[in-house]
């Protein structure tokens, strides 16, 4: 249960309780404003080609066009990139234009502004509404953008939208004109939204330097767990009159409770922009964001005009510190961590860049499972879903603008800078993001990008992107010397080297873990990716997929399971080798102390990790076993810690293929019935023991029953799919109706494999579907004592007189009061003044009241509005730490209340519930926790509520130093 202290509204400007919500579907406390945001990925009519056609005409008959849903690629592709003999400037592949048409329904309120919002589209986008050209976006295909279509729509009716996505080569749009070692696919490949806003509204983050919501934490105290929080909210008034509004910003914990609330007022001129700049702090119970504890707060910024909520937007933040220490390396929240991870392209087999959010999330979930703690976006800004996943899972991110090696003309450089600024503005609130790439890949630092990024975000690090074959140490003006560390480099070791690209595996990682001057290795690369790189002999029909510790369908490849043995804590064992006659020993990865090998149930010995010097620096080197002879059957490896088995794995000698085993990766995700979500499966050719027969050669044919489709067919080698190392992948796309579907994998002569999948419903209303509760509850913090007490900041003093009735009003509830006194007429109550106890909030528990009554001390609430409440009470017996420097010495000579006997335990009773706590005592509570208890109760709005504090063992006095009362949901 959250304490009232945790949800105290720190700002004293005003207290605003959210009224009931009228918008159906919104949770309690979430603001119902003029804003709507509808995802419009579905139902687009699509035509490929004819760039000069007039397909934007409102009266065009597009009924014969294909109906598609975003994310969408111009066309599915084979693993051989359609057998094209293209090159690294990508002269042919996807160098086409895609036309997309869709009807949208605009709300009837013509005072609202209407926008089309794009998370990204390849690569130059033109928009027409009702046949009229709205504008063109030509900065690039990897960053978000929007169009204000308010002047082009007919309100209260259906409007026709046409997009022309031009993926042809342009000298001025990075990463064109090339070359680049990846493929720039085409299409409407990221999410699209129809947005309505009040004419005075919070801007999109990328509109200007301080547009939208920007949250920073200028100071974070990792030791005392508090943080200063600065919230900037950029708004625009599109109307013809100046308007006075309030900005209400709330920081909300994971349970929905407001931990900080800031309120400001300003007048925004007609046609003008304004940035609210609000600052406060999370002073108690701060949760830090880290790779092992990725705690996220929500920041909700709301605009209020004349008591009406007119707009609101929300972002998430994580509170953390990071630095690149010149001696110790990268520090997160004051602790050194070695950055070990992978580069990541957004390519996927068959669909190219057109990945739904679920597959982006799955990529990062797989990173986490493998133990990677950092991801670099190679070589362009990536989907919002990737950064959300890094935030949620605790993976650090390094993001860069879209380039590879070449530097273009002046217009190209202008767009590269614009793209870098948009990248920063779009992702600046993500706690996972700690490094911006301020360079051009291979070429090193680019001062213009570094300074632009620092202007946008002075708080994060920038890194160069140097390679030894285009220049030696070129760290330049950036904060980090980032090197493509594939071989010998000229490095003076005067500054640290971060390998933003490098080879992978245990031997490579060891080099970095044993050298403090190399704080991290981001290896090349996580997944196989498409490329027209010409550095190997390629023949038509061969795959153009390159590199990857995982396949283009995210299946693990050789030696990747060493990483979790080194980077994760849960005891694990992985047998890397096959158990067959041609096996050259046994290779095992484990984070246990040692392993025992058993063949057909008989022990063959206990083995330790390799002591080869090439692994020096690793915590868990591979275990390489040469002395166990092959014997057909079962091989078991047990991971031992202090001689006990903590992990185990068994494999078998492969036999004859008998069946297909179909497995879908559905862990940690939903499969949404939105017409575009994809779930990935693999069909394994197995023997009677379930062992994959890697030598099997054949084709797997897939089929599905129900509202779903198999992506791709024989024309691109997708279905049937020829087995590779005994398996074949399949992508299944959801339909629009949530239901169970059955996927079947067939191989001639083998038992078929079947798998059942269930899709879930999807709500395209992003505000309703994503909104979470906000519990903005009123609170009262009271410091009790005599008139000379010292009062804690943000607390209300309650000064009473000995043996007199004591009552105070509750300021936020008209007519409500709280009283305190002995339970009977025979009791006494004494009020203690300043005592100078040490400790946080010592002004609260350094004085208070002492009630002596055999029936206890009573706190009684009268007139509380109907609802649920919690009261936190403090119970400490003060003892002064006064010395000769304290002006209070003379007063303390007469203070005998502290000498009175008091109860060492207190029983707290309210509405039939009881708790017992031990009272704390003393003058030094600097590093101790004072006695408190939190008690919940309900008010019916009529009858008083009594909280009784009693000594369960006698009638000694009861100490009560202060209390916090708060509403509860």
């Amino acid at each position: 249960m959250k304490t009232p202290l945790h949800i105290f509204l720190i700002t004293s400007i005003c207290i605003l309780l959210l009224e009931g919500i009228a918008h159906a579907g919104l949770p309690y406390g979430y603001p119902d404003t003029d804003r709507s945001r509808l995802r419009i990925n579905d139902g687009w009519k699509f035509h490929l080609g004819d760039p000069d056609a007039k397909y934007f005409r409102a009266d065009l008959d597009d009924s014969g066009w294909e109906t598609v849903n975003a994310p969408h690629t111009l066309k599915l592709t084979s693993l051989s990139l359609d057998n094209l003999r293209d090159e690294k400037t990508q002269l042919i592949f996807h160098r086409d234009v895609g036309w997309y048409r869709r009807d949208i329904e605009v709300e009837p309120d013509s005072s609202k502004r209407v926008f089309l919002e794009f998370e990204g589209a390849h690569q130059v986008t033109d928009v027409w509404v009702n046949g009229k050209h709205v504008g063109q976006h030509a900065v690039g295909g990897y960053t978000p953008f929007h169009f204000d279509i308010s002047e082009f729509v007919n309100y209260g009716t259906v409007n026709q939208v046409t997009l022309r996505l031009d993926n042809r080569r342009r000298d001025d749009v990075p990463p064109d004109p090339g070359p680049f070692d990846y493929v720039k696919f085409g299409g409407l490949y990221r999410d699209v939204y129809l947005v309505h806003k009040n004419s005075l509204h919070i801007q999109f983050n990328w509109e200007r330097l301080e547009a939208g919501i920007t949250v920073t934490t200028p100071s974070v105290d990792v030791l005392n767990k508090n943080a200063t929080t600065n919230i900037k909210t950029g708004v625009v008034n599109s109307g013809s009159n100046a308007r006075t509004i309030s900005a209400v910003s709330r920081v909300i914990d994971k349970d929905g409770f407001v931990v900080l609330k800031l309120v400001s007022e300003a007048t925004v001129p007609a046609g003008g922009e304004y940035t609210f700049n609000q600052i406060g702090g999370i002073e108690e119970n701060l949760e830090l964001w880290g790779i092992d504890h990725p705690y996220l707060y929500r920041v909700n910024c709301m605009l209020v005009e004349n008591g009406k909520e007119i707009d609101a937007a929300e972002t998430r933040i994580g509170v953390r510190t990071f630095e690149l220490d010149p001696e110790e390396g990268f520090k997160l929240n004051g602790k050194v961590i070695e950055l070990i991870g992978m580069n990541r392209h957004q390519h996927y087999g068959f669909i190219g860049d057109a990945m739904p959010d679920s597959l982006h999330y799955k990529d990062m979930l797989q990173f986490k499972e493998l133990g990677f703690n950092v991801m670099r976006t190679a070589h362009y800004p990536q989907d919002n879903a990737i950064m959300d996943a890094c935030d949620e899972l605790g993976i650090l991110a390094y993001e860069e603008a879209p380039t590879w090696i070449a530097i273009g003309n002046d217009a190209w450089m202008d767009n590269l800078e614009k793209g870098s600024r948009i990248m920063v503005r779009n992702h600046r609130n993500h706690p996972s993001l700690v490094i911006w790439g301020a360079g051009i890949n291979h070429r090193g630092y680019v001062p213009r990008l570094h300074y632009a990024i620092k202007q946008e975000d002075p708080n994060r690090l920038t890194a160069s992107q140097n390679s030894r074959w285009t220049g030696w140490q070129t760290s330049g003006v950036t904060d980090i010397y980032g090197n493509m560390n594939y071989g010998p480099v000229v490095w003076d070791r005067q500054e640290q080297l971060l390998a933003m690209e490098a080879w992978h595996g245990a031997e490579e990682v060891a080099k970095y873990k044993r050298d403090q001057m190399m704080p991290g290795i981001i290896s090349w690369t996580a997944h196989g990716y498409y490329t027209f790189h010409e550095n190997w002999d390629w023949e038509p029909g061969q795959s153009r997929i390159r590199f990857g510790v995982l396949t283009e369908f995210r299946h693990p490849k050789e030696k990747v399971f060493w990483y979790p043995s080194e980077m994760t804590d849960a005891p694990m064992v992985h047998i890397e080798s096959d158990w067959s006659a041609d096996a050259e020993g046994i290779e095992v990865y484990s984070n246990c102390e040692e392993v025992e090998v058993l063949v057909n149930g008989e022990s063959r010995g206990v083995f330790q990790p390799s002591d080869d010097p090439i692994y020096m620096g690793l915590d868990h080197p591979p275990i390489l076993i040469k002395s166990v002879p092959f014997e057909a059957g079962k091989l078991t490896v047990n991971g031992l810690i202090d001689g006990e088995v903590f992990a185990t794995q068994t494999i078998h000698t492969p036999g004859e293929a008998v069946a297909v085993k179909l497995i879908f990766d559905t862990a940690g995700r939903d499969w949404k019935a939105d017409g575009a979500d994809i779930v990935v499966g693999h069909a394994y050719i197995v023997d009677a023991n379930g062992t994959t027969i890697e030598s099997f050669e054949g084709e797997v044919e897939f089929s599905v029953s129900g509202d779903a489709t198999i992506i791709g067919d024989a024309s691109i080698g997708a279905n049937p799919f020829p087995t590779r190392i005994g398996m074949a992948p399949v992508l299944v796309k959801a339909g629009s109706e949530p239901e169970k579907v059955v996927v079947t994998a067939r191989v001639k002569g083998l038992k078929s494999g079947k798998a059942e999948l269930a899709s879930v419903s999807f709500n395209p209303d992003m505000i309703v579907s994503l909104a979470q509760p906000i519990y903005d509850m009123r609170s009262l913090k009271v410091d009790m004592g005599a008139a000379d007490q010292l009062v804690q900041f943000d607390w209300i003093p309650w000064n009473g007189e000995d043996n007199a009735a004591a009552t105070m009003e509750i300021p936020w509830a008209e007519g409500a009061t709280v009283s305190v006194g002995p339970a009977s007429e025979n009791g006494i109550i004494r009020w203690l003044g300043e005592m100078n106890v040490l400790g946080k909030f010592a002004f609260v528990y350094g004085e208070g009241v002492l009630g002596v009554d055999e029936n206890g001390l009573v706190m009684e609430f009268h007139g509380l509005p109907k609802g649920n409440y919690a009261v936190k009470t403090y119970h400490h017996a003060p003892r002064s730490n006064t010395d000769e420097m304290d002006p209070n010495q003379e007063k303390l000579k007469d203070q005998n209340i502290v000498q009175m006997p008091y109860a060492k335990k207190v029983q707290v009773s309210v509405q039939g519930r009881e708790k017992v706590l031990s009272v704390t005592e003393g003058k030094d509570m600097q590093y101790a926790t004072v006695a408190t208890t939190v008690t919940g109760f309900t008010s019916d709005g009529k009858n008083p509520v009594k909280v009784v504090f009693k000594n369960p063992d006698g009638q000694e006095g009861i100490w009560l130093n202060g209390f916090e009362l708060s509403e509860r949901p």
Side-chain angles (χ1 to χ4, degrees):
M1 176 180 288
K2 293 292 182 186
T3 66
L5 183 60
H6 192 75
I7 64 172
F8 172 64
L9 310 181
I10 294 177
T11 181
S12 59
I13 300 173
C14 75
I15 295 177
L16 175 66
L17 182 67
L18 292 178
E19 302 295 333
I21 298 302
H23 193 302
L26 285 174
Y28 175 85
Y30 198 89
D32 177 23
T33 72
D34 293 333
R35 178 180 293 233
S36 65
R37 188 168 184 252
L38 188 71
R39 204 181 83 174
I40 54 171
N41 284 2
D42 61 311
W44 291 91
K45 290 293 187 177
F46 171 71
H47 175 81
L48 181 63
D50 302 326
D52 298 323
K54 295 183 179 180
Y55 292 149
F56 50 80
R57 297 195 321 268
D59 60 352
L60 178 75
D61 181 5
D62 57 18
S63 60
W65 289 17
E66 181 185 0
T67 301
V68 302
N69 297 334
H72 180 257
T73 184
L74 291 183
K75 57 179 179 178
L76 299 176
T77 183
S78 68
L79 302 187
S80 64
L81 287 172
D82 302 339
N83 292 326
L84 287 174
R85 285 197 176 276
D86 213 333
E87 41 115 302
K88 287 191 291 186
T89 55
Q90 197 175 322
L91 296 171
I92 306 169
F93 183 78
H94 271 229
R95 292 305 195 177
D96 213 333
V97 165
W99 293 88
Y100 296 83
R101 290 169 57 88
R102 187 190 196 278
D103 288 340
I104 60 170
E105 188 169 350
V106 176
E107 295 177 12
D109 186 350
S110 61
S111 70
K112 290 186 179 182
R113 306 302 293 182
V114 186
F115 303 89
L116 289 176
E117 177 191 349
F118 299 80
E119 290 190 1
H122 280 316
Q123 75 173 340
V124 174
T125 302
D126 281 272
V127 174
W128 289 264
V129 173
N130 297 326
K132 297 179 180 180
H133 190 242
V134 177
Q136 182 183 86
H137 173 77
V139 175
Y142 295 97
T143 47
F145 56 96
H146 71 281
F147 291 93
D148 186 340
I149 60 174
S150 306
E151 308 304 323
F152 300 86
V153 300
N154 299 313
Y155 285 85
T157 187
V158 173
N159 294 258
Q160 197 280 320
V161 172
T162 301
L163 314 177
R164 183 181 65 189
L165 303 188
D166 190 345
N167 206 44
R168 294 173 294 178
R169 295 180 75 236
R170 291 257 309 231
D171 288 345
D172 60 339
V173 181
D176 273 341
F180 34 88
D181 180 29
Y182 53 96
V183 171
K184 184 164 58 61
F185 293 88
L188 191 60
Y189 78 103
R190 290 185 186 169
D191 296 332
V192 191
Y193 305 93
L194 174 64
V195 181
H196 293 76
K197 298 183 185 181
N198 189 287
S199 60
L200 200 163
H201 57 263
I202 299 168
Q203 295 168 296
F204 294 101
N205 269 34
W206 49 84
E207 291 190 58
R208 59 185 176 92
L209 186 64
E210 292 182 344
I213 303 173
T214 308
V215 187
T216 57
T217 49
S219 63
V220 178
D221 188 336
V222 174
L223 176 63
N224 294 303
K225 299 293 175 63
N226 59 72
T228 304
T229 306
N230 186 201
I231 303 172
K232 296 180 181 179
T233 308
V235 305
V236 63
N237 180 3
S238 302
S240 56
N241 297 307
R243 295 167 67 178
T244 299
I245 59 169
S246 294
V248 183
S249 298
R250 295 173 173 86
V251 180
I252 306 155
D253 71 11
K254 70 179 182 64
D255 297 318
F257 290 95
V258 174
V259 298
L260 171 65
K261 178 167 147 185
L262 304 168
V263 182
S264 303
E265 186 178 275
T267 299
V268 186
E273 298 174 326
Y274 184 81
T275 299
F276 289 93
N277 191 338
Q278 301 169 304
I279 196 161
I282 305 174
E283 298 182 8
E284 304 162 53
N285 302 315
L286 174 70
E287 295 279 358
L288 294 172
W289 184 95
I291 57 176
D292 297 320
H293 182 65
Y295 190 97
L296 294 173
Y297 291 93
R298 295 154 51 207
V299 177
N300 184 282
C301 298
M302 182 174 66
L303 305 183
V304 180
E305 182 179 39
N306 298 323
K308 180 183 183 300
E309 302 155 0
I310 63 172
D311 195 26
E314 193 164 286
T315 188
R316 296 190 300 183
I317 63 166
V319 181
R320 78 283 187 267
T321 66
F322 62 89
E323 63 175 316
L324 188 66
D325 187 280
E327 294 183 358
E328 296 184 85
F330 186 86
K331 288 184 175 180
L332 184 65
N333 297 326
K335 296 181 179 179
V336 176
I337 64 170
E338 190 77 19
L339 300 174
I340 298 175
M342 291 283 163
N343 281 261
R344 188 257 185 185
H345 269 301
Q346 64 186 19
H347 293 181
Y348 221 97
F350 305 146
I351 58 175
D353 286 349
M355 296 172 59
D357 289 350
S358 60
L359 293 188
H360 290 295
Y361 179 83
K362 285 295 296 185
D363 276 1
M364 293 302 96
L365 183 60
Q366 196 170 34
F367 264 51
K368 194 67 177 180
E369 291 166 345
L370 291 170
F372 303 147
N373 59 29
V374 65
M375 180 273 300
R376 173 176 173 241
T377 68
H379 301 284
Y380 38 79
Q382 296 190 7
D383 199 286
N384 295 340
I386 274 288
M387 296 307 160
D388 288 340
C390 288
D391 291 347
E392 293 168 15
L393 296 169
I395 298 170
L396 299 170
Y398 170 145
E399 189 171 33
E400 62 193 43
T403 61
W404 197 51
I405 297 178
I407 297 175
N409 56 29
D410 290 345
W412 183 93
M413 185 58 79
D414 288 344
N415 276 328
L416 181 61
E417 180 183 333
K418 289 177 185 176
S420 298
R421 289 181 180 274
I422 292 170
M423 169 187 75
V424 174
R425 294 171 187 177
N426 188 39
H427 289 155
R428 64 192 173 204
N429 293 324
H430 289 273
S432 56
L433 240 164
V434 292
I435 301 171
W436 300 115
I440 294 177
N441 203 50
H442 295 249
R443 295 292 290 266
Y445 72 96
V446 177
R448 182 172 172 179
L449 296 188
H450 165 83
Y451 294 125
I453 288 170
K454 284 296 185 182
Q455 185 179 42
E456 298 285 343
D457 179 6
N459 301 304
R460 287 181 175 86
L461 302 167
T462 60
S464 63
Q465 289 154 229
N466 173 56
S467 70
R468 61 183 172 85
W469 50 88
T470 54
W472 300 113
Q473 186 165 345
T474 54
S475 49
V477 299
T478 60
D479 301 313
I480 302 175
Y481 173 36
N483 188 269
M484 304 174 76
N485 205 22
Y486 291 113
V489 297
V490 175
W491 173 36
D492 58 20
R493 296 184 66 87
Q494 305 242 346
E495 62 180 321
Q496 292 165 325
L497 181 155
L498 172 69
M500 50 78 166
E501 287 188 26
W503 302 123
H504 67 273
E507 183 177 350
E508 287 297 312
V509 172
K511 299 173 185 177
Y512 294 81
K513 292 197 74 172
R514 63 176 176 254
D515 190 341
Q516 286 185 321
M517 290 297 288
M518 296 198 292
I521 172 174
I522 311 175
S523 295
W524 191 260
T525 179
H527 314 113
Y529 64 97
Y530 285 102
T531 177
F532 285 107
H533 207 291
E534 67 277 357
N535 66 351
W536 78 87
D537 293 330
W538 176 83
E539 295 296 333
Q542 291 181 328
S543 173
R544 300 303 294 257
I545 301 295
R546 192 167 184 243
F547 290 115
V549 297
L550 305 151
T551 71
E552 65 274 23
F553 299 101
R554 283 38 179 181
H555 195 281
K557 292 162 73 172
E558 292 182 354
K559 300 186 182 296
V560 70
F561 284 110
W562 168 77
Y563 282 92
S565 74
E566 179 72 12
M567 300 292 293
T568 64
D569 295 329
M572 58 86 66
V573 163
H574 173 76
I575 305 171
E576 178 68 13
S577 319
D578 292 331
W579 188 233
S580 57
D582 57 357
E584 297 180 0
I586 305 169
E587 186 168 351
V588 177
Y589 307 140
S590 178
N591 51 15
C592 298
E593 295 170 352
E594 54 190 5
V595 299
E596 181 185 21
V597 175
L598 298 91
V599 177
N600 294 322
E602 295 186 7
S603 178
R604 295 292 190 264
V606 174
F607 303 88
Q608 286 76 38
S610 172
D611 59 2
D612 191 316
I614 65 172
Y615 299 126
M616 185 183 302
L618 298 181
D619 297 317
H620 302 287
I623 302 169
L624 309 174
I625 303 165
K626 300 288 188 181
S627 59
V628 177
F630 172 74
E631 179 183 317
K634 182 172 65 173
L635 173 69
T636 299
V637 177
N638 293 327
L640 307 178
I641 300 175
D642 293 332
E644 294 187 26
V645 176
F646 275 79
T648 188
Q649 185 184 14
T650 296
I651 64 173
H652 296 82
T653 303
E656 293 294 322
V658 298
V660 183
K661 185 177 183 180
L662 182 57
I663 299 176
F664 281 89
D665 186 3
T666 57
R669 59 157 295 179
D670 290 325
W671 187 38
K672 295 182 174 63
D674 62 358
D677 202 4
I678 295 170
V679 66
V680 182
H682 284 86
Y684 299 87
I685 312 303
V686 298
D687 64 10
N689 290 317
T691 301
T692 301
I693 311 303
E694 297 186 358
S695 60
F696 184 89
E697 295 183 1
E699 289 186 334
V700 183
E701 185 172 2
F702 299 95
S703 61
V704 61
S705 65
D707 190 16
T709 55
I710 305 295
I711 292 180
D713 54 23
S715 67
I716 61 168
N719 188 24
F721 193 101
T723 57
R724 300 184 302 179
I725 58 172
M727 64 182 178
V730 62
L731 307 184
V732 182
K733 182 167 65 174
S736 57
E737 296 296 329
E739 65 176 27
K740 292 182 179 180
V741 302
V742 176
V743 184
T744 303
R746 295 180 177 88
V747 175
K748 187 176 181 179
L750 303 181
K751 181 181 179 182
S752 297
K754 290 182 182 290
E756 187 178 89
L757 301 170
S759 60
V760 299
S761 61
F762 170 73
N763 184 355
D765 186 331
M766 294 291 98
I767 292 180
V768 170
S769 62
L770 298 179
Q772 300 176 58
I774 301 175
Y775 302 125
D776 189 354
M777 319 307 293
R778 294 176 292 190
S779 179
L780 175 69
K781 302 170 77 170
V782 177
D783 187 353
M784 305 173 73
D788 59 345
Q789 71 167 326
L790 297 177
V791 181
Q792 194 77 26
F793 295 111
D794 300 320
W795 290 64
I796 296 175
W798 188 3
N799 302 326
E801 297 180 2
D802 289 350
N803 299 319
T807 300
M808 71 171 293
E809 295 181 353
I810 298 174
W812 41 257
E814 184 177 357
T817 62
V818 56
S819 61
V820 66
S824 71
E825 295 181 357
N826 297 324
I828 62 172
I829 185 169
R830 297 284 304 277
W831 295 73
L832 175 66
E834 179 190 358
M835 284 291 288
N836 296 340
V837 175
L838 291 174
K840 189 175 184 180
F841 300 113
F843 289 168
V844 177
Y845 53 75
E847 65 268 311
V849 300
L850 182 70
V852 182
D853 191 306
E854 62 180 356
N855 294 316
L857 184 69
V858 175
M859 177 183 292
E860 192 165 15
F861 296 97
H862 296 262
L864 278 180
K866 183 178 180 180
N868 297 321
Y869 297 85
V871 61
K872 178 180 182 180
T873 52
Y874 289 73
H875 302 275
H876 179 76
R879 297 293 182 270
S880 178
N881 70 335
T882 291
D883 58 26
E884 67 274 7
M885 298 298 294
D886 195 319
N888 259 348
Q889 285 188 88
E890 292 303 314
K891 190 200 84 166
L892 290 173
K893 292 178 181 178
D894 301 324
Q895 235 17 310
N896 61 13
I897 180 175
V898 295
Q899 300 171 356
M900 296 176 64
Y902 67 91
K904 302 300 189 292
K905 292 184 181 295
V906 173
Q907 176 182 287
V908 184
S909 305
V910 60
Q911 294 181 338
R913 295 186 297 275
E914 295 181 352
K915 295 181 180 179
V916 176
L917 75 155
S918 297
V919 177
T920 50
E921 176 190 284
K923 60 185 180 180
D924 184 0
M925 300 298 291
Q926 185 75 11
Y927 302 105
T929 301
V930 73
T932 61
T933 187
V934 179
T935 307
F937 63 87
T938 299
S939 171
D940 60 9
K942 300 176 182 178
N943 298 302
V945 177
K946 287 186 178 182
V947 183
V948 179
F949 307 96
K950 189 175 181 181
N951 181 359
D953 301 321
Q955 60 178 11
E956 290 90 352
I958 301 294
W959 274 110
L960 176 62
N961 316 94
F963 68 92
E964 303 168 59
L965 172 71
S966 67
E967 295 177 306
R968 306 295 288 182

